Amino acid sequence: MTRLLALIYALACYALFGCAFLLLIAFQLGIPALPVSKSLSIGPSVAINIALITAFGLTHSIMARDGFKRVWTRIISPTVERATYVLQSSVFLIAIVWFWQPLPTVVWTTDGVIALFIGGLFWAGVAIVLLSTFLLGHLEFVGIAAPLNKLRGVAEPQDVFRTPMLYSVVRHPLQLGLLLVFFALPVMTAGHLLFAGLMTIYMMIGLHFEERALVRRFGETYRTYQSHVPMLIPRLWPTRRRA
């Protein structure tokens, strides 16, 4: 794969990622984004939905492991490894939205000021997700930086531990934003609650392994960070820092 083709491939993966994120927002807001016939009973609907999240979670987790990457980059260029990871995440997320079987029973509904407040939390979650990707390098996150650097003949930057802005409040602000996107809905149906619950379970399992990987990568620096900064829920009061 030439350097230019690698960059074009990464940009195409990025475009699909943008589409997938917009579809997720439409799905959460109940906007009919994809005209799919859905008339199954509760049992098969729940089974299909669980299978969709499981397929997403397994693929997403396996491809993120260092051992898989070592084998995978013998098959594809390391330059497009991250872009390919973004591609599979986007494809599986689109598949979830496309094939998701709705469970329309209303679990809770709000109106007036409360609905506006919850809706505000939802859009705050969207903003936190997007901002989090930029704080540590948006182009690196979406897989464009590596092929772009390769095309320009620029060396890959060193892996430096940083905690800018939101990362000084919680260790994983992107996942905090996703929790708001999952749960901050003025009208919550059983289907959306199932989606939120399954995605949260997967996310917590993924964070467990990610934390272990970060400790291996940054050692005592990350352990100190863990002791001072909560993982997902911001502290309402400051803690005394050790020297």
Side-chain angles (χ1 to χ4, degrees), residues 165-181:
M165 197 176 169
L166 296 178
Y167 288 88
S168 65
V169 180
V170 292
R171 300 199 300 274
H172 301 282
L174 187 147
Q175 285 78 3
L176 170 60
L178 286 175
L179 285 177
L180 293 175
V181 171

Side-chain angles (χ1 to χ4, degrees), residues 8 29 48 50 52 88 91 94-96 102 115 137 146 150 155 166 179 186 189 225 230 233:
I8 293 173
L29 295 178
I48 289 173
I50 292 176
L52 289 169
Q88 65 81 20
V91 169
I94 291 172
I96 290 173
K150 196 80 171 179
L166 296 178
L179 285 177
T189 66
Y225 180 55
I233 308 302

Side-chain angles (χ1 to χ4, degrees), residues 30 33 37 48 55 58 83 172 174 216 225-226 228 231-232 239:
S37 176
I48 289 173
L58 286 176
H172 301 282
L174 187 147
R216 287 195 301 269
Y225 180 55
Q226 286 176 313
H228 292 311
M231 186 167 69
L232 284 173
T239 58

